[in-house]
């Protein structure tokens, strides 16, 4: 990690620690030993009071994430993903992947290592509750071509509306450049992000297919 990104990370940690201290106090009665985040998420989702507490703390942590992922998780940068409306289980899984190095991004890897389990759960709860801004397709013909492709293959896991599920990522309304880079990474197996299901489903995609599918997905509500 470069000195510049290290000092940025330290500045970030200082921002995160303030809400973290209050949050740790608020959740002190909860067990804090390492445990399955998925199971903890289910417990939180079952308890409306606790869910609200995590949501409010997630909003505080997200104030930092907004520098890149945008207010409420609607990114303004085409190569940085929206987090708004993303499924909690998927968010936590990606956080886990950055944490153990399966998914590579220097900044995100460093950041995730610096976050507590409660902060991870809190941001996931917060972002899942945000609405995605709708961006209509600029090229409707291309998007319609992409719809044909999507409705043949992708809908099986990501859903007809692109909202995903507990298990699969929401793709609807995602940032175009990010989608395109992500799909090419899966297809080319060039590292950074490896997934057998997505490798199998992108293997035969030409760059033109990717452009069309991206135009469609990015314009989904
Ligand atoms: C300096 C910019 C930056 C900041 C700040 C930042 N991120 Fe990220 N984040 C990124 C980039 C870039 C990616 C995409 C990495 C890739 O291409 O794999 C990303 C990806 C993610 C993903 C994966 C999204 C997906 O759709 O798969 C999650 C989850 C995430 N970040 C959570 C967070 C959280 C939570 C915070 C705040 C605690 C945060 N990020 C702060 C730059 C940032
Ligand atoms: C058999 C199930 C399956 C099918 C079919 C499938 N996907 Fe996926 N997709 C997944 C899984 C699982 C992941 C998460 C992989 C990971 O952790 O990196 C994923 C992740 C993604 C992501 C990353 C989301 C993000 O926020 O970073 C995109 C984009 C995506 N898929 C698009 C597509 C498109 C486009 C198609 C059709 C060509 C497709 N998928 C077909 C299972 C599937």
């Amino acid at each position: 990690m470069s000195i510049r990104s290290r000092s940025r990370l330290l500045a970030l940690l200082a921002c995160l620690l303030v809400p973290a201290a209050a949050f740790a106090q608020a959740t002190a009665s909860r067990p804090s030993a390492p445990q399955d985040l998925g199971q903890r998420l289910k417990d939180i989702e079952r308890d409306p009071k606790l869910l609200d507490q995590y949501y409010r703390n997630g909003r505080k942590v997200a104030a930092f994430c907004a520098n890149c992922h945008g207010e409420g998780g609607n990114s303004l940068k085409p190569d940085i993903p929206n987090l708004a409306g993303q499924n909690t289980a998927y968010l936590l899984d990606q956080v886990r992947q950055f944490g153990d190095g399966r998914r590579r991004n220097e900044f995100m890897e460093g950041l995730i290592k610096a976050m507590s389990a409660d902060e991870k759960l809190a941001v996931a709860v917060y972002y899942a509750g945000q609405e995605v801004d709708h961006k209509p397709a600029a090229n409707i013909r291309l998007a319609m071509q992409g719809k044909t492709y999507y409705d043949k293959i992708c809908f099986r896991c990501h859903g007809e509306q692109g909202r995903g599920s507990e298990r699969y990522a929401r793709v609807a309304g995602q940032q175009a450049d990010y989608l395109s880079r992500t799909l090419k990474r899966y297809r080319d197996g060039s590292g950074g992000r490896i997934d057998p299901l997505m490798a199998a489903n992108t293997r035969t995609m030409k760059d033109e297919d990717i452009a069309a599918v991206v135009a469609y997905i990015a314009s989904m509500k």
Side-chain angles (χ1 to χ4, degrees):
M1 193 180 279
S2 71
I3 294 190
R4 199 166 152 258
S5 56
R6 188 169 305 216
S7 60
R8 249 163 80 189
L9 197 57
L10 287 176
L12 140 73
L13 295 186
C15 306
L16 284 180
L17 285 175
V18 181
F23 191 34
Q25 236 170 15
T27 51
S29 58
R30 313 289 306 173
S32 60
Q35 46 176 302
D36 180 10
L37 289 190
Q39 186 51 50
R40 289 221 10 226
L41 178 65
K42 286 197 186 114
D43 294 344
I44 294 166
E45 284 174 334
R46 240 181 261 126
D47 179 342
K49 254 178 83 183
L50 200 56
L51 188 65
D52 182 56
Q53 194 182 357
Y54 273 79
Y55 179 91
R56 281 186 283 114
N57 281 296
R59 183 163 55 202
K60 286 182 201 152
V61 177
F64 172 74
C65 319
N67 287 314
C68 295
H69 292 284
E71 280 306 318
N74 275 290
S75 168
L76 296 174
K77 299 173 191 168
D79 58 335
I80 296 191
N82 297 331
L83 301 177
Q86 190 51 273
N87 302 308
T88 38
Y90 171 77
L91 282 174
L92 284 179
D93 187 48
Q94 297 307 305
V95 160
R96 200 176 293 131
Q97 292 195 28
F98 283 126
D100 65 22
R102 269 177 296 159
R103 181 168 175 183
R104 307 313 304 263
N105 176 275
E106 200 188 8
F107 183 84
M108 284 305 306
E109 287 175 60
L111 175 57
I112 295 303
K113 288 200 180 91
M115 287 172 76
S116 70
D118 275 331
E119 285 167 341
K120 294 174 188 171
L121 288 159
V123 271
V125 164
Y126 170 73
Y127 280 126
Q130 306 308 305
E131 294 268 331
V132 182
D133 293 342
H134 178 229
K135 301 173 290 291
N139 182 338
I140 293 182
R141 260 185 69 183
L142 187 66
M144 285 302 103
Q145 210 178 304
K147 176 171 166 42
T148 310
Y149 198 100
Y150 185 92
D151 289 349
K152 253 190 246 151
I153 298 176
C154 321
F155 79 98
R156 283 190 288 128
C157 296
H158 296 286
E160 264 169 58
Q161 311 286 320
R163 308 260 170 93
S165 63
E166 183 165 323
R167 179 135 193 252
Y168 297 113
R170 177 197 178 104
V171 290
Q174 190 49 278
Q175 298 291 326
D177 289 3
Y178 169 75
L179 284 171
S180 160
R181 182 178 78 230
T182 299
L183 291 171
K184 288 177 182 165
R185 271 165 127 187
Y186 286 132
R187 180 192 63 186
D188 301 339
S190 49
R193 215 172 167 186
I194 307 273
D195 180 76
L197 290 179
M198 280 307 296
N201 280 287
T202 47
R203 191 166 293 131
T204 59
M205 285 182 105
K206 299 191 200 77
D207 283 359
E208 301 87 85
D209 299 327
I210 291 184
V213 166
V214 166
Y216 176 57
I217 298 178
S219 71
M220 288 169 109
K221 284 191 187 168

